[in-house]
Amino acid sequence: QVQLVESGGGLVQAGGSLRLSCGVSGVTFRIETWAWFRQGPGKQRELVASISRGGDTNYTDSVKGRFTISRDSAKNPVVLQMNSLKPEDTAVYYCNRLIGGVPRYTWGQGTQVTVSS
């Protein structure tokens, strides 16, 4: 069974940076499309960034120029570098593989990111 374990979140002041990691077990590593999502307080989960098999990246408008999604290793297929963090970035962040734009695996616990003003 595939398990996703997100890490790297924390409490940071506005303008600070965090690097999120996505640990994966129970699946043979292949280059696939992966993404980061987030769910803020009282909000629906939203797609933040994705990276395709070919390495093409896409970002939601609110994080363009501040966040960078990239690949790392077989056990950590995708990372999210977050710079110039804003209070509105406060959320629980999740990673997942995408197939046809749809999250493939059961969600992990996520990692909490809290940005203070």
Side-chain angles (χ1 to χ4, degrees):
Q1 184 174 350
V2 176
Q3 288 189 316
L4 303 174
V5 180
E6 300 87 354
S7 62
L11 173 63
V12 64
Q13 289 188 333
S17 299
L18 288 172
R19 181 178 174 87
L20 305 185
S21 296
C22 173
V24 180
S25 62
V27 63
T28 300
F29 175 73
R30 291 178 295 183
I31 300 294
E32 300 291 356
T33 297
W34 281 82
W36 283 94
F37 295 77
R38 68 185 179 187
Q39 186 167 16
K43 298 181 180 180
Q44 290 189 332
R45 188 174 289 161
E46 64 169 342
L47 177 63
V48 175
S50 64
I51 182 166
S52 72
R53 295 177 64 183
D56 295 327
T57 57
N58 283 286
Y59 301 90
T60 191
D61 286 345
S62 62
V63 308
K64 285 180 180 177
R66 301 188 297 120
F67 290 11
T68 303
I69 188 171
S70 61
R71 302 191 190 283
D72 186 9
S73 66
K75 293 298 185 182
N76 184 23
V78 64
V79 297
L80 186 67
Q81 177 66 43
M82 307 187 297
N83 299 327
S84 302
L85 283 162
K86 304 176 179 180
E88 51 263 43
D89 295 319
T90 294
V92 180
Y93 285 71
Y94 305 85
C95 62
N96 214 320
R97 176 187 168 190
L98 296 182
I99 297 180
V102 177
R104 172 64 180 85
Y105 301 126
T106 300
W107 295 102
Q109 294 296 311
T111 186
Q112 176 71 50
V113 171
T114 302
V115 185
S116 63
S117 58

